[in-house]
Amino acid sequence: MGEQSRRRVLQAGLGAMAGSVAVGGLGGTAGAAERAATGAAAAPADGRTTALPWVADLGDGRYRNPVLNADWSDPDVVRVGPYFYLTASTFNRIPGLPILRSRDLVNWTIIGHALTELEPRDVFDTPQHGNGVWAPAIRHHAGRFWIFYPDPDHGIFVTTAVDPSGPWTRPHVLKPGRGLIDPCPLWDDDGRAYLIHAWAKSRSGINNRLTLHEISPDGRELLDDGRIVVNGDELSGYTTLEGPKLYKRDGWYWIFAPAGGVTGGWQSAFRSRSVFGPYEDRIVLAQGDTPINGPHQGAWVTTQRGEDWFLHFQDRGVYGRVVHLQPMRWRDDGWPVMGEDDGSGRGKPVLVHRKPAVGRPSKITAPAAGDEFTGHRLGEQWTWQANADPSWASLRGGRLRLTCPPSADTADLRLLPNVLGQRFPAESFVATTSLTLRAGTPGARSGLVVLGYGYAWIGLQRLDSGLALVSRTAVQDKAEVDAATPIPLPRGRSSVRLRVEVGPGGVCRFAADVDGHGLQPVGGPFTASQGKWIGATLGLFGTAPAGAHGDAAEVDWFGVGPA
């Protein structure tokens, strides 16, 4: 096949779709200055890069929101000494309950996970999209870290650790039942302990109310039947009251909780002199005239120097629930306000602000995205779609080996547990990888995927005639179809370089190099979609038809950087 013919075929398929997408670096606000601030080197010729696709630290004593520009949904944070620790909901993904650490609430690193598998195991051995781990709470008490988290189909669980990077104890069921969500504990000054939680109407038939229990101080059992302490149905304008966080300050009990829904709601505070109420309420953070919709569900933390800050999420659809940091202060009337006070005690989100005053400066960083596969295990950014089998992935000689497990569901990647994925790391970014398929079974395949309700992938597949570059898409509830005409690999070649460039709105453009002559566009644009309660997933996979044996892919590296 001649060069011009090869280019025409690579651009076939969806290439007839009109229009082009302007892809800006870092949402149009960052560029060489921010990349230089990270100490990143220029991208090598093969497409790898050490540049971060998003940095929140502006390098001049200020930060920009979001501080975590990825799907760290339902964040909760606790400070222990000079460090802040954050966890987030992970739904069906494993490992679950990530632990992120920061010195300044702006620059974060993933240090581990609290869950290595989901139970019941026979349920979560296959993808259960939208189920599993919902909004958690992280606390430090009696020399241990504690995470209380809900599974809306099974109950409220507790896991603990001395070291936040692990190991964590096997989760204990504190309160079994359906529809129990968003738990948070409080250990009071007198040694008594309490648990507050919300309700999911999809499982329990009720919502918009918060229930409080007294629990044993060891977090092992409930000590009463619980009582409703805030009923949103009795409050004007309140819908979907959820995500409560329980605190105590200067003799007041405080519940910070969002309402109104994740896309258009607000953040409220409730206070009472008794933990059991009655509570009075005030809206303390709302969108106002900013582009930050539904500032929702987060955590109040205080620095060692006494500054108060509030982290919350913003639902951005295909990008997931990104995390914003707001300054917080206590007004003369005794109420907190987050962000910029409008004068009435209702704050609105800030876009740029001075960083928290924590003394020692922090290295400018963000959670890992790329991976050179040179360590002893996968980077902490990677997750599977269900409980994992250790045989699916291994690191050998600076490469990732992905097996191609046989499956009857190979035609739908949404049904495969062995999709290795990570969060979109920014609004605009490029991901590039080098992949080799060592497979003799027709139908065995491996590639680079963007996965949500719909998905698109590009990679290699073993056909009856040999290896070929393929590109396929599947829209929601539909089967895969070709997005471009398959391209046979040159004789003796089993490797390909792959790239996806993601721009605003989640518009993806794929490219490949099948013969060493450089990356060329494949097909046309594909608009990524979110998943069930999560943003789109960027990932790798290998799979083979039922009955196959020994097929595998090797991934040399996985580079993620600015578009």
Side-chain angles (χ1 to χ4, degrees):
M1 180 179 295
E3 177 67 14
Q4 293 301 318
S5 298
R6 185 179 68 85
R7 289 174 183 262
R8 283 196 296 271
V9 174
L10 283 171
Q11 294 170 357
L14 295 180
M17 296 175 63
S20 62
V21 179
V23 180
L26 303 181
T29 62
E34 272 88 356
R35 291 195 289 274
T38 69
D46 60 12
R48 279 179 285 187
T49 178
T50 56
L52 298 171
W54 175 269
V55 286
D57 194 323
L58 295 177
D60 60 1
R62 300 177 303 153
Y63 70 91
R64 58 175 173 164
N65 274 316
V67 290
L68 286 167
N69 198 10
D71 188 24
W72 303 100
S73 178
D74 308 315
D76 194 36
V77 182
V78 65
R79 180 181 63 80
V80 180
Y83 289 105
F84 300 91
Y85 298 91
L86 179 150
T87 192
S89 57
T90 40
F91 301 97
N92 57 291
R93 295 172 292 191
I94 283 296
L97 289 174
I99 309 297
L100 282 70
R101 183 175 65 191
S102 174
R103 280 187 172 271
D104 61 4
L105 297 170
V106 173
N107 297 284
W108 293 90
T109 303
I110 315 170
I111 63 170
H113 291 79
L115 288 182
T116 58
E117 67 177 23
L118 290 170
E119 297 182 355
R121 187 169 179 93
D122 60 341
V123 172
F124 289 102
D125 281 351
T126 57
Q128 303 294 316
H129 297 291
N131 300 334
V133 177
W134 286 23
I138 184 169
R139 293 292 181 265
H140 189 262
H141 171 72
R144 301 187 70 86
F145 289 85
W146 305 66
I147 295 179
F148 288 65
Y149 73 91
D151 178 322
D153 296 304
H154 297 98
I156 293 171
F157 295 77
V158 184
T159 179
T160 73
V162 174
D163 184 337
S165 62
W168 289 76
T169 60
R170 182 176 179 178
H172 166 72
V173 182
L174 173 59
K175 182 178 180 180
R178 286 176 55 81
L180 312 173
I181 61 171
D182 307 347
C184 182
L186 173 71
W187 286 270
D188 209 342
D189 305 327
D190 59 4
R192 298 169 72 180
Y194 302 94
L195 178 82
I196 195 167
H197 71 82
W199 296 86
K201 192 171 185 178
S202 60
R203 273 73 167 185
S204 65
I206 60 172
N207 72 342
N208 206 33
R209 62 202 68 186
L210 307 178
T211 294
L212 183 76
H213 286 275
E214 185 172 359
I215 63 173
S216 60
D218 63 3
R220 302 291 295 181
E221 59 181 321
L222 305 177
L223 299 184
D224 60 23
D225 294 331
R227 66 183 77 178
I228 295 171
V229 290
V230 180
N231 188 341
D233 293 343
E234 299 174 352
L235 302 175
S236 177
Y238 273 74
T239 60
T240 320
L241 177 64
E242 59 186 354
K245 296 294 185 289
L246 186 59
Y247 306 101
K248 189 176 184 182
R249 178 183 185 268
D250 294 341
W252 288 92
Y253 293 92
W254 290 91
I255 302 169
F256 287 10
V262 297
T263 58
W266 64 87
Q267 183 73 32
S268 286
F270 301 81
R271 71 177 184 182
S272 174
R273 286 294 187 181
S274 167
V275 71
F276 295 108
Y279 283 88
E280 53 183 323
D281 72 287
R282 176 182 289 184
I283 296 175
V284 291
L285 179 66
Q287 179 173 353
D289 59 1
T290 77
I292 311 305
N293 60 290
H296 206 83
Q297 189 165 335
W300 162 38
V301 286
T302 303
T303 70
Q304 284 185 303
R305 295 189 173 189
E307 290 184 352
D308 294 303
W309 296 85
F310 184 73
L311 292 104
H312 65 89
F313 77 75
Q314 174 199 10
D315 190 310
R316 295 202 59 216
V318 67
Y319 296 102
R321 298 173 178 181
V322 302
V323 180
H324 291 244
L325 175 65
Q326 305 298 335
M328 175 176 149
R329 70 179 182 89
W330 293 90
R331 290 166 50 92
D332 292 341
D333 60 10
W335 287 87
V337 61
M338 296 91 165
E340 181 183 341
D341 193 343
D342 68 358
S344 71
R346 179 179 298 198
K348 64 179 181 180
V350 301
L351 302 181
V352 176
H353 198 271
R354 72 162 179 83
K355 291 171 56 180
V358 295
R360 178 179 172 183
S362 297
K363 178 181 178 181
I364 296 177
T365 190
D371 201 332
E372 292 289 323
F373 305 123
T374 55
H376 298 293
R377 62 179 187 177
L378 286 167
E380 299 288 358
Q381 67 270 30
W382 296 105
T383 60
W384 302 97
Q385 287 202 110
N387 286 333
D389 186 320
S391 69
W392 291 346
S394 58
L395 300 181
R396 300 179 182 179
R399 286 184 168 187
L400 166 66
R401 184 179 188 273
L402 284 178
T403 59
C404 296
S407 172
D409 296 321
T410 57
D412 192 336
L413 301 185
R414 292 162 294 203
L415 304 179
L416 289 183
N418 57 298
V419 174
L420 181 64
Q422 59 177 273
R423 299 157 179 85
F424 273 21
E427 181 178 21
S428 299
F429 65 94
V430 175
T432 311
T433 190
S434 176
L435 180 145
T436 301
L437 182 60
R438 305 193 185 280
T441 308
R445 58 188 190 163
S446 180
L448 172 67
V449 63
V450 172
L451 182 69
Y453 283 126
Y455 66 87
W457 71 275
I458 185 172
L460 295 178
Q461 182 166 340
R462 169 66 67 176
L463 306 179
D464 291 335
S465 57
L467 287 177
L469 174 77
V470 297
S471 177
R472 297 179 66 80
T473 63
V475 298
Q476 184 173 353
D477 300 326
K478 301 296 183 182
E480 279 190 11
V481 296
D482 283 328
T485 305
I487 305 298
L489 263 63
R491 185 178 301 276
R493 191 175 180 93
S494 58
S495 300
V496 66
R497 191 152 50 99
L498 307 170
R499 183 184 71 190
V500 61
E501 185 170 358
V502 179
V507 176
C508 305
R509 295 182 180 277
F510 290 91
D513 177 2
V514 299
D515 55 13
H517 288 93
L519 290 159
Q520 300 296 330
V522 179
F526 167 80
T527 301
S529 61
Q530 64 193 69
K532 182 68 170 178
W533 307 126
I534 64 174
T537 296
L538 172 69
L540 299 164
F541 73 94
T543 188
H549 178 73
D551 301 309
E554 293 178 354
V555 185
D556 294 330
W557 42 264
F558 193 85
V560 180

